[in-house]
Amino acid sequence: MDFRAAKLLIKADCIKIIKGNSVTNSIEHTDIVVIGAGFSGLYAVHRLRKDYAVICVEAGDGVGGTWYWNRYPGARVDIESVEYSYSFDKTLEQEWSWPEYFSAQPDLERYANHVADRFDLRKDIRLSTIVTRMTFDATIDRWNVHTSDGKHIICKYVVAATGSLSAANTPPWPGRETFKGQILHTTEWPREGIDFSGKRVGQIGTGSTGIQAAPIIAREAAHLTIFQRTPAFSMPSGNRPMDAEHEQDWKANYPARRQEMLSNYGVSLMTRPERSAHEYTPEEQRAILEKGWTSKSAFQLMLAFNDVMTDKAANDIVAEFAREKIRGIVKDPVTAELLCPKTYPIGGKRLCNDAGYYEMYNRDNVSLVDVATAPIVAFTEKGLRTADAEYELDIIITATGFDAVTGAMARIAIEGVNGQTLADKWANGPTTHLGFMVAGFPNLFMVHGPMTPGAQAQMITTGEWQVDFIGRIIDDMEQGGLSRIDATVEAEQRWADEVQSVSQFTIHRFADSWYNGKNIDGKKGGFMIYVGGFPRFAELCEEAIQANYEGFLRS
Ligand code: N01
């Protein structure tokens, strides 16, 4: 029997999977709710809508997710745009042109809007709407989804494309309301921009975001004070206008390149090293590192030797090279030394990319304040107070990152079977099966969820892969006439063991970062990113499905 014809007539035959939305007693019914219209959410709408009715709920008043919210000055991707783009439509690949190698936020947002229009996705997307609460009704295997506009949607599946870097981390210092100036978080930047001219600006945070924003703000502001807790390693981004030959080369070779990306970290065209750092003389090491530094390929430095990420001694060689670069660029030796990371390995936190970040410290209107030794304690009427001084400011920018990976999901009141909430279940750290499902929360799938490769792989391409994988699971459910899929607690434990064990082989374990939740005071849990590589991740997912849905319970 055609599976669409056989679509479920399950426990409550009034609520069957329907290929089409309906409304009864002001409750809407649909097959799938997708949360988030970022790049993965947009593709989920496109992919799943082919066979099912879909409602996508998006908090922003536009599409693009990360590239909608993060419109701070300098926001730019650190993976080549020809790669960091959708693969699902061959015509789209050919018709779209990126003006630069590493696109800036406006171009990425423009691309997201183009895709939404081109594939007519908007009709199924509800903008400016937040999912506030979700409860699973185990008697009918349906999710009740409540949204900020007072709507109640009943659906069979939820696909959460909520993003792993979407819930802002706003440090909880007292006195925020007393500050007479303006406080901005980089991920909630006003569309109309900010005029920094003549202003005394303070920026807290020197991660990827802060490092991109600061040089641009410094050019405009009267004075920029950077409050740094931990210095980051950063290398020149190598951004430049796109050249026609490079674009044509990609367009002619997309199928093979996309394949190559999936057998890698979602990126191709990186020269993979074959030899250990220890196989080279210091002079040879230096020559290789110089080449990496000027490679114009964001992370080539980390690929100088095959053991940079696994051997502390090899890593130290690269880290010292990067510190020498900082000392060579920054003229004031005290500032240069403060900017040199010494407490964790290079690559232990995600390597940053910049356009003139270190050079910026040679400007007269920029100063660096070390808030590791004298932490920020409060906002004041005039600015910020640290343990040993007060700084007068007109604008304070918090480039303080995210309650990453779990934050967006844990902030929604999600109640699974037996009334347990997801926030409670994850109170001591996230648990998932293959990063897609959480035991006790049936029919709920996550894209780029906790314990997937996340930002350790290229998010658009691997996001498409994950959406397709979820689509396959749903198709199998429908073809099999099933109503519920859940993960087992044992499978969650096995996956947690796998995630922890692969992380022990890498130097990530020596760094506190959003990868392990240690960027936020009191956040519990271990390593939240799968660093065993995307190919192995995909292989393990495939194996679970092939082994009759090992680790899943289907009924
Ligand atoms: O966030 P972060 P981000 N007092 O967590 C500091 C992606 N991304 O938004 O290191 C003082 O890295 C914090 O200090 P510390 C990319 O995956 C990509 O910059 O915790 N300081 C740190 O300096 C990236 O990894 C791109 O000691 C405080 C900063 O705030 C991820 O997003 C661009 C503090 C936060 O750095 C996150 O980057 C931008 C406190 N209480 C982002 N709390 C590209 O594609 C926090 N900090 C290029």
Side-chain angles (χ1 to χ4, degrees), residues 67 72 76-78 165 169 171 173 204-210 212 229-230 349-350 371 399-402 455 514 519:
W67 299 107
Y72 61 83
R76 183 180 291 288
V77 70
D78 58 3
L165 294 161
N169 170 37
W173 301 303
I204 306 156
T206 52
S208 299
T209 299
Q212 287 186 324
R229 188 166 67 179
T230 313
K349 299 177 187 225
R350 195 176 152 114
V371 292
T400 42
F402 301 90
W514 62 264
N519 62 325

Side-chain angles (χ1 to χ4, degrees), residues 71-109:
R71 49 183 80 243
Y72 61 83
R76 183 180 291 288
V77 70
D78 58 3
I79 290 171
E80 278 198 35
S81 289
V82 282
E83 310 195 47
Y84 190 82
S85 50
Y86 285 119
S87 65
F88 71 85
D89 188 272
K90 302 304 160 213
T91 313
L92 175 68
E93 272 178 346
Q94 296 300 321
E95 75 191 6
W96 187 263
S97 284
W98 297 102
E100 295 177 283
Y101 269 65
F102 300 95
S103 292
Q105 179 273 334
D107 286 321
L108 283 149
E109 192 186 11

